[in-house]
Amino acid sequence: MPWSSLQIFLRRISTPIRHLISLYTLLVTLFTLFRLLRISGIAVIDLANTFAPYWFMPLVVTFPLSIIVTRGGALPAEHARKRLSRLSKSVDGKDAQTHPPRWSVLLQICLIAIGLYWFAAPGMYRPVEPPHGETFSVVTFNVQGSNHELKQATDWLLETAPDLIVLQETAPGYDQRLAPLYDIYAHEDHIEGSARVFSHYAILEREILRIEDEPGLEALRLLLNQDGRELAVYAAHFTLPLKPRAQFDLYVDIGPEALLRYDERRRNAQIRRFLEVARVEAKPYVVAGDFNMSDASLIYDEVAAQMQDAWRGAGVGAGRTWPVAEAIGLPRVIHPLLRIDYVWHSADLRPTSAAVGEAIGSDHLPVTVDFEWRPS
């Protein structure tokens, strides 16, 4: 295509493209202000915060595109001089500006900087000091309650051989399917149909924590004897941030219409109540489970203010764990969108490595963390 024809084409499309980019920039700026003010409790804003990094990603395209359209769509020099002459002689000044408003470009630069600071910087590689002594490993994994074939999962867990396994959605009747784990791990405890812990370390205490009154939700606390040291392990699984369609809806069917039922209030109340319980924990502890909470959600900061996120301490990258595409009927090339599976810990422990495992039959990916004890 001759350069003159390309310029004509760019001039024709430059105006609608500029308008779209400006509208997108304004919307992301508004969302950024809401996030800075920590506005929550409004479903559409809470949902936007859950997927917050994705609203900033188009800036990678819109910023250079706005520059390309500006330069490519500019009028030739002779036409520009004539137009400038007409504008200078214009009394009413009604002639439209040729170039896109600079505020859009400046805002995009600011938004890129904010997006990198909020969402890219936490996932950047940070050198982790190697362990100085013995370590122990923890795996958290939501096996998916409707998963009727657990052999792939149990094979992977046996091959990985962590010291602690914390499972979620272990539906009633899973004991027989998890039999290989019972053969290897001497100690096990669980909440039927919810969380289950396999441990190489002896269980000294067991406590069921009620973190919701009605309809009721429980978490499991175990106190383990780890070679003479006492370690508290919490196994938790918080509900989906959705309004039920009916009184006894278990949120099994999660489709596009679930976006219309998005509601974080119940899940957030459960998490805050759990934090109240864990706040009085006197022992070194690990908290593992499916929080059904994105690390971009505002309530993540409340949890991170009290506990340390093992992935942020030793993981590399985004660490997204849900959903696994093939488990929900999508093409395998689609990667998980959110990080909702966590291992948290007290300051007595230091994560030396953290990794997301492979797809092993669930709609979640497992998370593995190695810890060492900090010097007293």
Side-chain angles (χ1 to χ4, degrees):
M1 178 184 293
W3 174 242
S4 57
S5 301
L6 180 61
Q7 281 190 313
I8 294 172
F9 173 74
L10 288 174
R11 284 201 298 273
R12 287 177 178 174
I13 67 171
S14 63
T15 298
I17 288 179
R18 290 201 310 266
H19 290 165
L20 287 174
I21 291 176
S22 297
L23 177 61
Y24 161 73
T25 304
L26 284 173
L27 290 175
V28 177
T29 301
L30 183 63
F31 167 68
T32 302
L33 290 174
F34 285 158
R35 189 173 176 88
L36 285 170
L37 296 172
R38 301 194 65 80
I39 294 175
S40 62
I42 303 173
V44 66
I45 296 177
D46 293 339
L47 180 60
N49 276 312
T50 296
F51 294 91
Y54 296 98
W55 308 130
F56 289 80
M57 286 182 178
L59 289 166
V60 178
V61 176
T62 61
F63 179 65
L65 184 60
S66 61
I67 296 175
I68 292 172
V69 169
T70 300
R71 291 185 176 276
L75 291 172
E78 184 64 29
H79 288 185
R81 281 194 295 270
K82 291 180 181 179
R83 184 176 181 83
L84 183 60
S85 177
R86 287 199 305 271
L87 284 172
S88 63
K89 296 177 182 177
S90 176
V91 176
D92 54 10
K94 293 181 180 179
D95 288 10
Q97 185 181 1
T98 302
H99 299 289
R102 291 184 178 180
W103 62 260
S104 176
V105 177
L106 293 175
L107 268 182
Q108 288 182 73
I109 294 173
C110 294
L111 292 172
I112 289 172
I114 292 172
L116 290 174
Y117 175 74
W118 277 350
F119 308 115
M124 291 178 64
Y125 172 74
R126 295 170 299 279
V128 180
E129 186 179 350
H132 301 290
E134 292 187 4
T135 63
F136 68 94
S137 55
V138 179
V139 166
T140 183
F141 178 46
N142 185 322
V143 298
Q144 191 178 8
S146 59
N147 187 352
H148 298 293
E149 179 53 65
L150 295 179
K151 186 178 186 306
Q152 186 180 8
T154 54
D155 288 347
W156 183 88
L157 290 168
L158 292 173
E159 182 181 354
T160 306
D163 297 292
L164 290 170
I165 300 175
V166 182
L167 304 179
Q168 301 88 46
E169 288 195 24
T170 51
Y174 266 31
D175 287 357
Q176 184 176 358
R177 298 179 204 166
L178 298 173
L181 298 180
Y182 283 95
D183 294 338
I184 300 299
Y185 290 87
H187 309 280
E188 183 273 345
D189 210 326
H190 64 274
I191 300 175
E192 189 64 40
S194 179
R196 191 176 300 256
V197 177
F198 291 89
S199 170
H200 283 317
Y201 308 114
I203 300 173
L204 302 177
E205 296 177 7
R206 175 187 190 267
E207 184 180 2
I208 299 295
L209 307 172
R210 193 167 184 83
I211 56 177
E212 184 183 51
D213 293 327
E214 293 294 337
L217 185 74
E218 296 174 332
L220 177 64
R221 176 189 180 271
L222 301 177
L223 184 63
L224 307 181
N225 177 11
Q226 191 192 82
D227 303 324
R229 288 186 169 122
E230 292 184 339
L231 175 70
V233 175
Y234 291 85
H237 183 197
F238 300 98
T239 57
L240 285 165
L242 297 176
K243 290 180 181 178
R245 285 178 301 226
Q247 184 178 0
F248 301 105
D249 184 5
L250 297 178
Y251 314 107
V252 173
D253 183 17
I254 304 176
E257 56 83 26
L259 298 177
L260 302 176
R261 297 187 287 123
Y262 193 84
D263 188 345
E264 293 185 349
R265 288 174 294 180
R266 182 186 174 197
R267 183 209 63 196
N268 289 355
Q270 295 168 354
I271 292 176
R272 291 184 177 118
R273 186 157 171 182
F274 175 79
L275 291 177
E276 291 177 3
V277 173
R279 191 172 290 119
V280 299
E281 178 59 65
K283 306 292 185 182
Y285 64 83
V286 168
V287 178
D290 175 3
F291 276 60
N292 275 311
M293 167 193 72
S294 162
D295 59 352
S297 299
L298 293 182
I299 196 169
Y300 171 90
D301 295 334
E302 297 182 34
V303 184
Q306 181 173 325
M307 307 173 181
Q308 298 184 24
D309 184 350
W311 185 264
R312 291 283 172 89
V316 178
R320 300 185 182 104
T321 59
W322 182 89
V324 177
E326 54 263 43
I328 59 174
L330 296 176
R332 184 175 296 182
V333 295
I334 300 176
H335 294 281
L337 298 174
L338 301 174
R339 181 163 76 98
I340 65 175
D341 300 273
Y342 298 87
V343 178
W344 303 86
H345 61 96
S346 63
D348 311 82
L349 304 172
R350 184 178 74 90
T352 59
S353 69
V356 173
E358 61 191 65
I360 48 176
S362 171
D363 59 340
H364 291 247
L365 296 176
V367 178
T368 304
V369 179
D370 290 342
F371 287 105
E372 75 168 352
W373 289 83
R374 294 186 186 273
S376 301

